[in-house]
Amino acid sequence: MAAISTLRFISQFLFSHSNYKDPKYGQVLHPLLCFMISTLGYMYGSIKLENNYTDQTIEDFQVSQTSRNIIAIGFLFYVFLIIFARFGQAKFTIFYELMWACNLSLISSAYAFWKNKPLILASSMILVSIDQVLWYVDLLAFFLFRIWPIGVAKYLTWPSTTKLRLLTSFHHIFFLPLCLYFLRNQKVIPITAWQISIGMGTILTIVSRLLTPKSILLKGQKEEIYLNLNLSRQLWKDIPFKFLTIVDDKPWYLALPFLSFMWNSGNYILGYELLNRILKYLNQSQIL
């Protein structure tokens, strides 16, 4: 009976989100456990998926092991920089933020460089392509016309966005070009990279849905913290396309398939297809 009670307590602690004001969200244990489960599941799934593919069209990195180690350390250092820079404002909820695909892709990319796994790097790029490519659209429109046509980067102007948070969002801009540079020797990014990215994203959306609510309210604060990690609950609230909100806050068996389909379809177009076209152009032009 004691074991059953313990399991029930752990299950309740991890998976129950009936009270968005629950003190556990502001303490260290729940955010940290969620981050660890998400990271381990994501990395284990990424490695297993990559091992199941024997794609002969992907070539090893051209840079040395020492150079790759330095790049890997650089990515991990940036992750720690995010933690330290945002901790003053976010406190322990920073571990929820790290569960976003755009942050975990930094970790999987570090592993890819360390272990000479260009397929994992390509998959990590495709996983976040729809978001980060549309960042360029949003930023260009904002600088020219002061509008956010897509809304993926609109949170940069939220009142709650500090200068440190602004600076540590820079990876949305440099991640894809930097990684593409190190894949410049590839003739093509194989379709298996997109397929692996689907598995990576599926893991993240399921884990995010299970472990976190849409928003939380910490003790002593008046404003809710919007999570909606990896769009596991609804479309990102700043995106204006209402026809994409048909499954917002719907049961998981409706929301997850639809949101995952939209995300992966976008990643096919703005990730797999677009990155291959850029790579082909760079190879033909011999720019890199």
Side-chain angles (χ1 to χ4, degrees):
M1 291 298 294
I4 295 175
S5 298
T6 301
L7 288 174
R8 185 181 294 116
F9 171 79
I10 294 173
S11 176
Q12 183 82 5
F13 179 76
L14 284 175
F15 305 123
S16 176
H17 307 297
S18 57
N19 178 16
Y20 74 109
K21 298 180 181 180
D22 195 315
K24 69 182 180 182
Y25 298 125
Q27 298 167 356
V28 63
L29 188 57
H30 190 268
L32 183 58
L33 282 176
C34 290
F35 168 66
M36 292 174 63
I37 293 170
S38 180
T39 304
L40 291 174
Y42 169 76
M43 288 304 303
Y44 177 79
S46 302
I47 294 168
K48 290 293 289 184
L49 287 167
E50 192 268 349
N51 287 339
N52 288 336
Y53 285 99
T54 55
D55 201 308
Q56 302 301 317
T57 61
I58 196 94
E59 301 178 16
D60 289 343
F61 293 114
Q62 288 185 329
V63 293
S64 66
Q65 180 69 57
T66 301
S67 298
R68 287 190 281 109
N69 288 344
I70 293 172
I71 299 164
I73 292 171
F75 274 124
L76 294 179
F77 175 79
Y78 186 86
V79 173
F80 282 109
L81 183 63
I82 291 175
I83 297 173
F84 291 127
R86 299 184 185 183
F87 188 82
Q89 179 197 27
K91 298 298 187 289
F92 296 118
T93 62
I94 183 60
F95 292 112
Y96 292 135
E97 295 182 27
L98 291 177
M99 292 169 63
W100 276 102
C102 59
N103 295 323
L104 288 179
S105 63
L106 296 169
I107 297 176
S108 57
S109 297
Y111 174 84
F113 280 111
W114 176 44
K115 287 294 188 178
N116 193 21
K117 298 287 186 179
L119 189 57
I120 289 183
L121 181 66
S123 301
S124 302
M125 294 170 63
I126 294 174
L127 174 65
V128 298
S129 287
I130 186 173
D131 175 54
Q132 297 192 3
V133 169
L134 293 177
W135 256 65
Y136 290 106
V137 177
D138 257 358
L139 290 176
L140 182 62
F142 180 75
F143 287 133
L144 293 178
F145 310 111
R146 286 297 186 268
I147 61 171
W148 302 100
I150 309 299
V152 292
K154 188 177 180 180
Y155 78 88
L156 295 177
T157 55
W158 288 0
S160 59
T161 301
T162 63
K163 290 182 179 179
L164 286 175
R165 182 177 295 274
L166 194 69
L167 291 173
T168 51
S169 297
F170 189 59
H171 57 292
H172 291 86
I173 300 172
F174 75 71
F175 179 72
L176 289 181
L178 179 63
C179 292
L180 190 62
Y181 174 79
F182 288 102
L183 292 178
R184 65 191 184 280
N185 63 308
Q186 307 297 333
K187 295 179 181 178
V188 66
I189 295 175
I191 190 66
T192 50
W194 176 64
Q195 294 168 342
I196 291 172
S197 78
I198 294 175
M200 297 161 89
T202 300
I203 292 170
L204 291 182
T205 52
I206 291 175
V207 170
S208 297
R209 179 86 181 199
L210 285 172
L211 296 179
T212 61
K214 182 176 71 174
S215 60
I216 57 177
L217 182 63
L218 302 184
K219 183 179 180 181
Q221 294 188 359
K222 296 181 179 179
E223 185 177 351
E224 293 181 11
I225 298 174
Y226 183 61
L227 295 179
N228 188 28
L229 298 178
N230 297 302
L231 307 186
S232 59
R233 299 280 172 175
Q234 60 176 202
L235 187 72
W236 185 250
K237 67 178 183 178
D238 287 331
I239 297 176
F241 310 119
K242 298 303 180 184
F243 69 94
L244 295 176
T245 65
I246 58 174
V247 296
D248 280 9
D249 301 313
K250 293 293 191 294
W252 66 268
Y253 52 83
L254 295 176
L256 292 187
F258 178 80
L259 292 169
S260 294
F261 174 78
M262 298 304 298
W263 183 272
N264 292 315
S265 298
N267 280 337
Y268 180 85
I269 298 169
L270 297 179
Y272 173 72
E273 286 288 347
L274 180 60
L275 292 176
N276 266 312
R277 290 177 184 273
I278 295 173
L279 196 61
K280 182 179 179 180
Y281 171 77
L282 294 176
N283 285 331
Q284 289 177 344
S285 304
Q286 296 184 337
I287 294 177
L288 297 180

